[in-house]
Amino acid sequence: MSGTHSSPSSERRSTPLASDVAAHLEKILSGSVFKSTGSLRALLRFIVSETLAGRGGDLKEYVLGATVLRNDDSFDPKADGIVRVQMRRLRERLASYYATEGQHDPLRIDIPKGTYVPSFRSTVSAGAMAHETAPSRARTVGRNKELAEIDAAFATAAAGRGSLFCLSGEPGIGKTTVVETFLHNLRASAVACWVGRGRCSERLAGSEAYLPLLEALEDLLRDGDSVVRDLMSAHAPRWYALVTRATHEAADTPVAPVSPTTPEQLKRELIAFVNEASRRLPLVVFLDDLHWADASTVDMLGYWVARCQAQRVLVVGTYRQAELLRSKHPFLGVKLELQARGICHDVQLPWLTGAEVNRYLELHYPGHAFPPALSARIHERTEGNPLFLTDLVRFLQARGVLAERDGRWSMVGDLSLIEGELPESVRSMIEKKIGDLNDTDRAVMSAAAVQGQEFDAVVLASVLGMDLTAIEERLESLDLRHGFVRLLGGLEFPDDTFTLRYAFVHVLYQNALYGALRPTLKVSLSSAIAQALTRHFGAQRSVIASELAILFESARDFEQATDYFLSAAQQAATDSANSEAVVLARKGLATVAKLPDTPERAQRELRLQTTIGPALMSTVGYGAPEVEAAYIRARELCPRAGETRQSFAVIYGLYQYWLARADYGTCRKLAEQLLRLAHKLDDESLLIPAHSALGNTSCFAADFVGARTQAERLIAIYVPARHHSLAALYSGFDLRVGSSGGLAVSLWALGYPDRAVRSVEDAITLARDLSHASSMVLALNWAAMVHQHRREPARTREHAEAAIAVADKELAPWRAWATILRGWAMAMQGNPDYGIAELQSGLAAWTAGGLACLRPYFLSLLCEAQAAAGQTDSALATVTEALVITEQTREGYCESDLYRLKGQLQADPRDAEGSFLRAIDVARRQGAKSRELRAVTSMRHLDVARSAHMLSKIYAQFSEGFDTPDLIEASALLAADTSPQRTPRADAHR
């Protein structure tokens, strides 16, 4: 609601000279308000110059479009609304100029609505003019407390302490209105800041990764100056690429190529961009309807807000508590955690009181003569719901119950006469409101509801076969007279078509209109809108794949729906938005099931299954039953689909599942099948995952020579530029990084501890160069594992903690792995109790993801920690459990170490010697010299006579690593054996 304006009679005006107007124009154009607004600057200069030259009467829509904005004689104002949109923006910029830097200017340029001809006036009282032209502070009812709290939060943020401010409440309570009022008042106060708005979508809930954040960043790019664009492209190139790939301006603004995107990279970039931007101006980001936010947005928001306390940023979010609880939405947990840390302020909006309803009537109908009973009856009927209140008052006015007579509003007749017409609820009010629309307006609104909460005038014109100007006039009326929709602004589709974009004032209107459609009409409208959007987006239609998939599904065009769900799922997987990829792929599987059973359907389903498989691995775990089900179904489809390359992906997916389940016999068969298929297809790129699969299987099954061979073959043919992309297709991590890590632990086992370190350092370097989060976590875990084998707890802990710092929620297995290694390091550094707790926590998380591989190795670390804590019985139970698992799975990776640990824990020297001999025998069969050395060293501590010769023999086989604890200890024992003072050892168990 606008404030009080000064009366025209209070000012003395005179017509300014043309020279004064021209000078004033240059002052406007040189100011900050019109900086970086090229098209608006050109438009203002043109209409002012033409008017001063006496040609104002020639300023028509066609002239402005063809001469200034499009510079094209073929410009058609009926099909292209750019002139109307740009004139609206120009009026807004002028108002902003006169409210800020131009508030004391003695001249004013106005562009009256309905004309393109500017008017010029001068005022004696510049202060009076400033009062007239400044945007008024928006007036709301009953929300002063909440607005004051947001104002305080912004003041704190502007001072350098950022936070999240949340508003919650029931539908229609006015959450969005309160925030928009705050933003309006902020602009009216002339405080310099940047604002970005983003809205979550009910229709796309859970499937469109980062939707509100991308909208907010796009809003910043659109309404900010060139500084925002430069900062985003420099500090957040992946965000910049994600935002601009969905906008036409990407074609005019080169975007530097970026490597595949991961959540960790996006997190770092977002923090970097906000840091730089907020140093220049405070930043406000408004995220509406967070109860529909996708999982990636929630994760990103939690990460950002937890680190925004040193930033001049205020994040404002709205949500419905009931929706969060009903869907067990992840934002609920994130919000509670941020509240506990004191960086989230949560406010629940109450319903309006009777006094506030009365105040609303006073503001809307100043000086009215309504009876007191009217306000009370309205409050009773609406229960203080602001949306219901607004619509009910509009309804009463339309029915003539509230009427203006002799300049004063009063109630006509007795309210009881229309009591039966009064709606009983918000829903019934909306139904009545829709029922009052004429046929044309209802058709426009129904088509809009099918497109979504936001919709485009040019699309509606195409679908309904109406003139674009007529559609825009209808929408303007539905905005100003009926309060159904609001104008968001103008935009260009990729085919250069300009459109006005509108949004429903509340999603309840859209839902009511959509729900009231006849099924046949819903089908036809959905199809027409989908086809229109497909035409406008052309080759860039993949950026709205989710929207198109839903529209084609509603149109019962299940073939196209399936294809677009697949496209959207694949894009989400490429962006590492695995939760959203799962949702989209499942929707695609639901639509593909409705197609005829043909080979083409089998191909579509196969592509969906091989898309959902890797995404499920990242979200529910590599060994989860859902993963197995996806790949088993994919294998069944392969013969019908007849795609051998797809068959390779299916076999690799099954291999990953069975590796997680520690079924190494099945893994070897699948890996050998992969290698044969790669050679058959004569595809070098497929040899990379095939060698990786054989190498991993060999390593865990303790064929260290075979593992080394496969890793070296992979490394010999790997080229980052060609083969890093395989990470997204198969493993989720770079296969060269993974193989270098596997090679490192194999080299250590084979007796090359120094080469092992060099190999794992190569893995870390490559992961860093690739800037690939999952690969970096994997490389750091391999490094921690190598240093654990070398008995270097400090280095083990260093790499494990680095891995934990990089891992995010979708790298939970790698985080669990790192946690286990950190626990061992802590135990060896003198804190066994805490280390044991860490080990047990990591083991539980590892198992929760369906992972059984490497469990015996992890249990061996727990056994060592328990022994260090003096928990001998627990340690014996742990090593016994690990040996049972080893027998079941044939995972020989640490079998020798398990028997060695068992020997160290046994009280009877004869039992201990038997265990050590078993450990030595296993190590020799595996060619694991490092483990053989460790087992012989343990037996030498028993002072077994033959162990001295055995120790000397195995020690002589080493050519490096003499500064490692194992070799230092062995050397000391050998030196003692040759000492003439040597006596039989009494420390049978160290």
Side-chain angles (χ1 to χ4, degrees), residues 763-821:
I764 292 173
T765 299
L766 177 58
R768 185 178 293 116
D769 290 345
L770 294 170
S771 189
H772 196 245
S774 59
S775 300
M776 178 57 74
V777 176
L778 183 60
L780 290 167
N781 276 339
W782 281 126
M785 200 164 164
V786 166
H787 288 291
Q788 187 280 318
H789 289 329
R790 286 166 54 101
R791 290 170 59 192
E792 296 168 339
R795 296 299 307 279
T796 301
R797 182 171 179 176
E798 174 189 340
H799 288 296
E801 289 182 342
I804 291 169
V806 175
D808 63 19
K809 66 170 186 173
E810 293 193 346
L811 296 173
W814 305 152
R815 180 189 289 272
W817 183 353
T819 300
I820 291 167
L821 289 163

Side-chain angles (χ1 to χ4, degrees), residues 377 381 395 415-424 432:
R377 186 70 186 96
R381 180 56 60 98
F395 171 81
L415 190 62
S416 61
L417 297 176
I418 64 162
E419 187 71 25
E421 292 186 57
L422 294 181
E424 293 293 335
K432 276 187 173 291

